[in-house]
Amino acid sequence: DLIPGIEKIAKRRAKSPAETPNIRVVKNIIDHRSVLEKAKLELTFDEDTLLNVEEAYLRKLLASSDKKFITIGRFSKEKGHFRLIEAFEKIYEENPNTCLIILGGYGDLYEATVRKAAASKASARIIVIYYMSNPFPLLKQCDYFVLPSFYEGFGLVLAEADMLGVRCISTRIVGPSKFMEQYGGYLMENSKDGIIKGMQDCLAGKVPERLTIDYEQYNREAVEQFE
């Protein structure tokens, strides 16, 4: 997705019009074995972890049969947490046995996100967590991963959710779209209404259980590209 822009820069810097930009795409390796191993560990919170609810309440929700949506990303504007909260209000209105978990680290919008969640009509079912060194035991206990971003690089957490058996959906944006399209993922319109539709489709069983990706093969190809 970045190639067209890079080509323009390269052509402007070329010494002659005949000079062709030398651009190669090399995929990052996805450390799926590490993710799977970390997911087997006990769910624990760090000294720096902050919760907007009591830990016991969160654990009770995780152990329940309620459908759990989760997003993971730093607390900054491009991650779309505010519109996700607004979208979840509609989902909660239609399905009271749902909850939303927002896990982030860094960024300057943590406190604003907590306030946004507290003011929501679905406030009792929105959990905001600041920082976990190992988020995978938490992610594994959720039903659906939502990437509501306005823009992304790749969105590695989509792959991490998929390898843990969590159905995942993403806004149709540069970065995640190509990956999701290649491996049969679910893309939603880049808007609040699009996110509502995506979450509704999750509950209706219209989102694929897994992406059609072989992570071992993906990594072999990445290594070959580097070599």
Side-chain angles (χ1 to χ4, degrees):
D1 293 321
L2 299 176
I3 288 176
I6 295 172
E7 285 181 337
K8 289 180 181 178
I9 295 171
K11 288 176 180 177
R12 285 201 298 268
R13 296 174 63 88
K15 295 178 181 179
S16 71
E19 187 175 333
T20 303
N22 182 17
I23 299 170
R24 298 291 182 270
V25 176
V26 181
K27 297 185 293 191
N28 282 319
I29 289 173
I30 299 176
D31 192 3
H32 65 293
R33 294 180 182 177
S34 174
V35 171
L36 294 174
E37 287 302 313
K38 290 178 180 178
K40 294 177 184 178
L41 300 176
E42 183 181 352
L43 172 62
T44 56
F45 298 98
D46 303 84
E47 289 185 5
D48 297 337
T49 300
L50 299 174
L51 296 164
N52 71 327
V53 297
E54 294 293 330
E55 180 181 328
Y57 178 73
L58 172 58
R59 290 185 181 275
K60 182 179 178 180
L61 273 180
L62 292 173
S64 74
S65 61
D66 291 358
K67 296 299 182 182
K68 294 164 275 290
F69 290 92
I70 186 171
T71 191
I72 300 176
R74 61 185 175 275
F75 292 104
S76 53
K77 186 176 180 180
E78 74 274 11
K79 296 300 182 180
H81 292 159
F82 283 17
R83 67 174 176 177
L84 176 59
I85 289 172
E86 293 170 2
F88 178 69
E89 290 178 353
K90 175 67 173 175
I91 299 302
Y92 175 68
E93 181 182 326
E94 298 171 345
N95 304 273
N97 62 333
T98 56
C99 66
L100 171 65
I101 299 171
I102 300 174
L103 168 60
Y106 310 106
D108 56 3
L109 293 180
Y110 168 71
E111 292 181 357
T113 304
V114 170
R115 291 195 297 270
K116 177 77 172 177
S120 170
K121 293 181 291 186
S123 60
R125 309 290 286 184
I126 302 175
I127 294 87
V128 184
I129 306 173
Y130 179 87
Y131 184 70
M132 289 180 67
S133 58
N134 180 15
F136 301 117
L138 172 67
L139 175 58
K140 185 176 68 173
Q141 294 185 61
C142 295
D143 300 284
Y144 313 108
F145 177 84
V146 185
L147 189 77
S149 301
F150 289 96
Y151 58 88
E152 279 285 346
F154 166 41
L156 178 61
V157 71
L158 286 166
E160 293 170 340
D162 174 63
M163 63 184 68
L164 294 179
V166 180
R167 298 177 192 239
C168 51
I169 59 177
S170 169
T171 44
R172 188 181 293 277
I173 53 175
V174 170
S177 289
K178 189 172 183 179
F179 175 79
M180 294 290 275
E181 287 171 348
Q182 183 174 356
Y183 298 109
Y186 182 103
L187 292 168
M188 53 196 174
E189 179 186 313
N190 184 17
S191 66
K192 185 177 80 172
D193 287 343
I195 296 170
I196 291 172
K197 176 68 162 53
M199 298 173 83
Q200 288 172 333
D201 283 352
C202 283
L203 296 172
K206 297 180 180 179
V207 173
E209 289 187 22
R210 302 294 293 269
L211 301 179
T212 59
I213 179 172
D214 180 334
Y215 290 100
E216 293 283 358
Q217 177 62 28
Y218 184 95
N219 286 341
R220 284 194 293 270
E221 292 172 359
V223 171
E224 288 172 3
Q225 289 171 342
F226 273 102
E227 292 176 343

